[in-house]
């Protein structure tokens, strides 16, 4: 192991925080633009940084195919919850910081031409915690999937249920699982993708219930916080405890898939899970030809690809001090 | 209504914050009282017969979860409930009422039996939380809880759930998805333990009482939120003071609910159960533009953008407000 000479290393705050990010795994200083280009995976060691819902959707679905629905859902402070700050203030601060109304985005899109119902969580919004809005969006995504017989894809990134919504947040476990049971009974496929972190009540409801469970490498996935778990046995936890590979080893994750392969893997799976996929159009008595879709795709192909009228907005920047896994696990110590 | 029949005291008027906090904390202590009647104690008082079943058919038998058959006032039921111990020895054997995955899998076996043999299910919830240790994670505690919740949402037989003591988060809801949810007066129900909530949001476990009040975890509060349908008054100083009377009062309510639910056609029952849980959560719904413009927009969109630069405002105005991977205060449980 190389000798660490911290005082000789450039201090992290010597770098402008909006330009550079330090990899928590290999300590490499990464230029943010370069990190964004590599889908926020460290080019040196392969560490998967957390992804915003926006970037995740761009990564997973066919260009221009995502249509957001239910964008206007917003939580209400039903309990009058005040900790060190009133809950409405926390919500407002999170909305201001992220530009999102809550911790999930849902809609429809195509993945390699397969139309899917998609719901993507964003950890940056109050730790991706599940309150009424996340629960509602997951449920509606499942209900739409059921109604239109679309495969359901949910990407989780969450510390669990949102404490500020009390047992109403806990009830979201039942609400989402109920919708998934209907999907299951109807034979509509559901692929769950667990990213870092997927813990607590989100893991113990829809995230773990995929027909296929996929995890990104080394993501924190678990029910209870590591400190609680360690406390109950008063000894060291097994190495890699509550990481994707641990879950894989114990049979709760089908595949650990690197980010760059995720979209391809989903497309490959959908070819097996979407019923009638290989059947000729005549089989179900309906033409598969979709004139509007055809014209749209034709128009897309003939319209020259003009430069965008304005520079794309800068991507949100990674803080230089991305929290090391141990600390992140620690502060989530009371889940479950 | 049953509450009033049972001599439930009227709800007090407004109280000072410190008094409210003290009263809430007193309830948490009553819910955790060592002498509080447990699942098998209550059943011993209210049932004419109990036959326990054991084992999950995969790993082992979990003594923290009691399951079996019972006859209550002529109703043959399947019962499921966490079981804490009455003393230290029993608590060690029963893991302080904290089930491992095999406990929830045994519960699912019991539910399956109930459905196939046409018996209603009565669950008794009294759990600090599902067991959080490494062996629990290895055997899939989250999966067991999620499957149990899912099974209850579609189980084709009536389900009466009773929160008798501590309703601790995922470990509680895993057996508490009922057509009707009843709570004893001093039972509590929360998304996380008050100590855990305080440690995260107040950064001090000394604020547990404050957190308990903020989460509104008392039975009365839960009834006001609609999570609990009925609150059953406890005798005297609390359920621990009189097991027999507590069980008698509970039996009256459980039997009344079984009588009512057994008359409802199964499809209607399941539709109502779905709607009961479908409705939870408070949110507003406003017309709002989508959060994110597609990464490569079509020509028409680009023209529209040129004409109306505010079109994507909600989604893309985050420039200059750097996102953080790690929020300063985690909000999750
Ligand atoms: Zn790295």
């Amino acid at each position: 192991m190389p000798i660490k000479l911290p005082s000789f290393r450039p201090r992290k705050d010597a770098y402008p925080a909006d330009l550079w990010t330090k990899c928590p795994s290999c300590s490499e200083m990464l230029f943010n633009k370069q990190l964004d280009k590599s889908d926020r995976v460290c080019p040196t060691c392969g560490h998967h940084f957390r992804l915003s819902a926006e970037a995740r959707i761009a990564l997973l679905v066919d260009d221009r195919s995502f249509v957001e629905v239910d964008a206007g859902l917003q939580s209400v402070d039903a309990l009058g919850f005040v900790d060190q700050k009133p809950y409405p203030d926390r919500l407002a601060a999170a909305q201001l910081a992220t530009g999102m109304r809550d911790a999930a985005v849902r809609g429809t899109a195509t993945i390699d031409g397969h139309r899917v119902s998609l719901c993507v969580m964003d950890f940056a919004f109050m730790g991706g915690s599940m309150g009424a809005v996340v629960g509602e969006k997951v449920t509606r995504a499942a209900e739409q999937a059921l109604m239109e017989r679309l495969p359901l894809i949910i990407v989780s990134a969450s510390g669990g249920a949102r404490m500020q919504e009390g047992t109403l947040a806990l009830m979201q476990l039942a609400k989402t699982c109920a919708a998934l049971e209907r999907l299951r009974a109807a034979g509509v496929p559901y692929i769950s993708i667990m990213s870092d972190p997927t813990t607590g009540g989100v893991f113990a409801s829809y995230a773990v219930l995929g027909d296929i469970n996929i995890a990104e490498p080394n993501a924190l996935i678990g029910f209870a916080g590591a400190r609680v778990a360690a406390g109950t046995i008063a000894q060291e936890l097994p190495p890699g405890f509550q990481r994707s590979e641990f879950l894989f080893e114990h049979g709760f994750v089908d595949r650990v898939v690197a980010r760059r392969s995720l979209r391809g893997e989903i497309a490959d799976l959908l070819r097996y899970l979407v019923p009638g996929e290989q059947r000729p159009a005549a089989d179900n008595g309906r033409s598969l030809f979709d004139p509007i879709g055809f014209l749209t795709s034709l128009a897309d192909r003939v319209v020259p690809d003009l430069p965008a009228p304005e520079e794309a907005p800068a991507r949100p920047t990674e803080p230089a001090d991305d929290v090391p896994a141990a600390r992140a696990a620690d502060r989530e110590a009371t889940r479950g | 209504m049953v509450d009033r029949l049972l001599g439930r005291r009227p709800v007090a008027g407004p109280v000072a914050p410190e008094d409210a906090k003290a009263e809430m904390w007193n309830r948490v202590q009553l819910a955790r009282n060592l002498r509080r009647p447990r699942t098998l104690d209550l059943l011993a008082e209210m049932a004419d017969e109990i036959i326990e079943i054991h084992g999950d058919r995969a790993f082992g038998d979990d003594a923290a979860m009691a399951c079996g058959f019972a006859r209550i006032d002529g109703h043959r039921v399947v019962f499921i409930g966490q079981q804490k111990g009455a003393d230290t020895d029993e608590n060690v054997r029963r893991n302080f009422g904290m089930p491992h995955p095999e406990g929830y899998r045994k519960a699912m076996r019991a539910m399956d039996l109930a459905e196939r043999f046409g018996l209603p299910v009565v669950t008794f919830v009294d759990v600090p939380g599902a067991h959080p240790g490494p062996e629990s994670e290895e055997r899939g505690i989250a999966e067991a809880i999620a499957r149990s919740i899912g099974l209850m949402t579609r189980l084709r037989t009536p389900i009466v759930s009773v929160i008798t003591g501590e309703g601790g988060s995922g470990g509680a809801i895993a057996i508490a998805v009922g057509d009707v949810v009843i709570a004893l007066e001093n039972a509590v129900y929360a998304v996380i333990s008050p100590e855990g909530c305080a440690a995260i949001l107040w950064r001090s476990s000394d604020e547990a009482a404050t957190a308990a009040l903020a989460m509104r975890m008392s039975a009365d509060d839960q009834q006001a939120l609609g999570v609990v349908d009925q609150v059953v008054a406890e005798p005297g100083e609390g359920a621990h003071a009189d097991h027999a009377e507590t069980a008698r009062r509970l039996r009256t309510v459980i039997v009344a609910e079984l009588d009512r639910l057994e008359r409802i056609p199964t499809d209607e029952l399941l539709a109502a159960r779905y709607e009961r849980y479908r409705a939870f959560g408070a949110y507003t719904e406003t017309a709002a533009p989508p959060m994110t413009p597609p990464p490569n927009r079509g020509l028409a969109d680009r023209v529209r953008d040129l004409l109306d630069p505010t079109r994507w405002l909600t989604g893309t105005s985050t420039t200059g407000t750097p996102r953080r991977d790690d929020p300063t205060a985690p909000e999750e449980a």
Side-chain angles (χ1 to χ4, degrees):
Chain A
M1 196 177 165
I3 299 164
K4 290 249 168 86
L5 296 171
S7 56
F8 283 80
R9 299 179 67 89
R11 286 178 51 215
K12 66 180 180 195
D13 54 12
Y15 295 88
D18 53 344
L19 284 180
W20 297 87
T21 298
K22 185 181 177 184
C23 176
S25 172
C26 70
S27 300
E28 188 84 8
M29 292 303 298
L30 304 167
F31 194 41
N32 277 337
K33 281 201 170 162
Q34 175 199 13
L35 194 54
D36 281 344
K37 266 193 196 130
S38 60
D39 294 320
R40 306 193 68 74
V41 174
C42 173
T44 309
C45 72
H47 172 76
H48 282 50
F49 286 82
R50 288 169 187 157
L51 215 50
S52 69
E54 181 187 348
R56 173 70 68 183
I57 291 165
L59 177 94
L60 282 185
V61 308
D62 301 342
D63 271 359
R64 277 171 283 178
S65 72
F66 182 69
V67 179
E68 189 181 3
V69 286
D70 299 329
L73 294 191
Q74 187 161 315
S75 264
V76 168
D77 179 23
L79 271 62
F81 195 99
V82 180
D83 49 88
Q84 291 172 324
K85 253 196 227 176
Y87 176 41
D89 291 3
R90 281 197 191 273
L91 274 175
Q95 286 168 347
L96 214 62
T98 61
M100 302 175 69
R101 280 171 203 266
D102 212 292
V105 177
R106 92 159 190 98
T108 56
T110 60
I111 296 177
D112 210 12
H114 297 275
R115 189 151 178 269
V116 300
S117 174
L118 178 70
C119 187
V120 175
M121 303 187 72
D122 193 322
F123 188 78
F125 193 102
M126 292 183 76
S129 54
M130 171 170 62
V133 173
V134 171
E136 186 67 22
K137 285 194 178 182
V138 167
T139 305
R140 288 189 190 183
E143 287 175 342
Q144 185 178 5
L146 177 65
M147 201 87 82
E148 301 179 29
R149 297 198 68 85
L150 298 176
L152 173 67
I153 315 272
I154 298 177
V155 184
S156 297
S158 173
R162 189 172 295 169
M163 288 178 282
Q164 289 87 347
E165 297 190 23
T167 45
L168 296 179
L170 186 65
M171 294 303 122
Q172 305 305 310
L173 276 69
K175 177 163 132 182
T176 54
C177 288
L180 290 177
E181 288 292 338
R182 290 188 166 188
L183 206 60
R184 190 184 181 82
V188 177
Y190 162 40
I191 298 178
S192 170
I193 297 161
M194 300 181 234
S195 69
D196 183 64
T198 297
T199 56
V202 166
F203 181 43
S205 59
Y206 53 88
V208 76
L209 289 180
D211 293 314
I212 303 292
N213 289 339
I214 291 177
E216 286 199 328
N218 201 41
L220 178 73
I221 303 170
F223 175 66
R227 199 172 62 191
V228 174
T232 59
I233 52 166
Q235 67 188 52
E236 286 279 307
L237 292 166
F241 180 63
Q242 289 184 336
R243 293 284 159 183
S244 304
E245 296 74 11
F246 174 90
L247 274 288
F248 177 82
E249 193 183 316
H250 288 95
F252 295 98
V253 161
D254 290 287
R255 302 180 64 81
V256 178
V257 178
R259 193 167 287 165
R260 67 183 140 71
S261 310
L262 209 47
R263 177 183 182 157
E265 287 250 357
I266 295 171
D268 289 346
L269 287 166
L270 288 179
R271 275 194 287 280
Y272 290 89
L273 300 176
V274 177
E277 181 68 19
Q278 291 165 327
R279 273 182 236 152
D283 259 17
N284 53 18
R286 259 188 321 143
S287 167
L288 285 183
F289 179 69
D290 164 17
I292 293 173
F294 174 73
L295 287 176
T296 310
S297 70
L298 193 66
D300 285 346
R301 267 175 277 150
V302 295
V303 171
D305 194 23
L306 298 176
E310 59 201 74
E311 187 65 84
R315 265 195 212 219
T317 51
E318 194 76 35
D321 57 340
D322 191 62
V323 175
R327 235 184 75 207
D330 208 36
R331 73 178 168 60
E332 291 164 69
T334 42
R335 292 186 313 258
Chain B
M1 187 184 77
V2 179
D3 315 344
R4 254 169 274 140
L5 290 179
L6 294 171
R8 187 172 158 62
R9 59 185 169 61
V11 176
V15 279
E18 283 308 308
D19 293 349
K21 211 159 92 176
E23 198 199 324
M24 180 67 78
W25 196 240
N26 182 42
R27 281 176 185 239
V28 173
Q29 296 311 312
L30 283 170
R32 294 173 176 174
N33 190 298
L34 273 172
R35 289 182 293 126
R36 197 165 175 84
R38 309 304 180 192
T39 298
L40 293 174
D41 305 329
L42 291 167
L43 278 163
E45 296 286 351
M46 72 172 75
D48 305 318
E49 180 181 60
I50 305 170
I51 303 173
E52 251 195 283
I53 62 170
H54 294 275
D56 71 342
R57 300 295 191 271
F59 180 83
D61 184 46
D62 192 337
M65 184 77 83
C67 303
F69 304 101
R71 202 169 62 243
I72 305 173
D73 256 8
H75 289 272
R76 296 172 310 137
V77 307
V78 160
F79 73 86
I80 294 165
Q82 289 99 355
Q83 181 72 20
K84 293 180 181 175
D87 53 43
T88 308
D89 281 351
E90 196 194 353
N91 256 324
V92 168
R93 187 166 69 79
R94 296 195 184 273
N95 198 32
F96 299 85
M98 296 186 289
H100 285 71
E102 50 272 23
Y104 292 101
R105 294 191 176 117
K106 174 167 66 172
M108 283 187 265
R109 269 193 65 222
M111 293 173 203
D112 175 65
L113 289 172
E115 180 178 70
R116 287 194 291 125
F117 299 104
L119 303 169
V121 174
V122 183
T123 70
F124 299 87
V125 180
D126 186 13
V127 61
H131 184 76
E135 64 277 43
S136 216
E137 299 274 354
E138 283 172 2
R139 300 201 287 270
I141 187 66
E143 198 260 2
I145 288 173
R147 293 253 178 253
S148 184
I149 293 171
L151 178 56
M152 293 188 90
T153 66
R154 65 173 164 83
L155 200 73
R156 297 184 65 79
T157 191
I159 303 173
V160 175
S161 289
V162 189
I163 318 291
T164 62
E166 284 184 277
S169 193
I173 183 85
I175 62 161
V177 184
D179 297 303
V180 63
V181 178
I182 297 160
L184 278 174
E185 180 182 2
N186 294 311
V188 291
Y189 200 3
V191 67
I192 183 172
S193 73
E195 288 83 358
C197 181
I200 296 172
L201 291 185
W202 280 266
R203 301 185 182 279
S204 155
S205 50
D206 298 342
E207 297 291 340
T210 316
L213 188 64
M215 289 195 291
R216 301 180 57 184
M217 61 192 287
S218 75
D220 286 338
D221 284 338
Q222 292 304 309
Q223 187 180 29
L225 289 169
V227 171
V228 162
D229 299 301
Q230 285 185 45
V231 178
V232 175
E234 294 179 20
E237 288 167 17
H240 61 280
D242 193 340
H243 289 195
E245 176 61 13
T246 304
R248 193 194 63 77
R249 294 181 183 188
L250 265 186
R251 185 184 59 202
T252 307
V253 179
I254 291 170
V255 168
E257 286 301 324
L258 288 174
D259 285 339
R260 182 177 69 85
L261 294 171
E262 283 178 338
R263 281 198 300 267
I264 302 173
T266 305
D267 286 340
E268 277 176 42
L269 191 73
L270 262 72
R273 193 186 302 155
Y274 188 86
E275 287 311 316
R276 184 182 194 278
Y277 289 91
R278 183 70 187 80
F280 282 120
Y283 57 86
T284 56
E285 196 161 8
T286 52
M291 181 205 82
T292 310
N296 292 308
R297 300 194 290 279
L299 185 63
D301 279 323
R302 292 176 199 167
V303 172
R304 261 182 243 123
D305 279 4
L306 280 173
L307 297 175
D308 179 12
T310 63
R311 182 168 150 80
W312 301 112
L313 196 64
T314 49
T316 56
S317 60
T318 56
T319 319
T321 51
R323 304 271 299 267
R324 292 189 55 95
D325 260 12
D326 176 47
T328 46
E331 331 293 334
E332 66 275 20

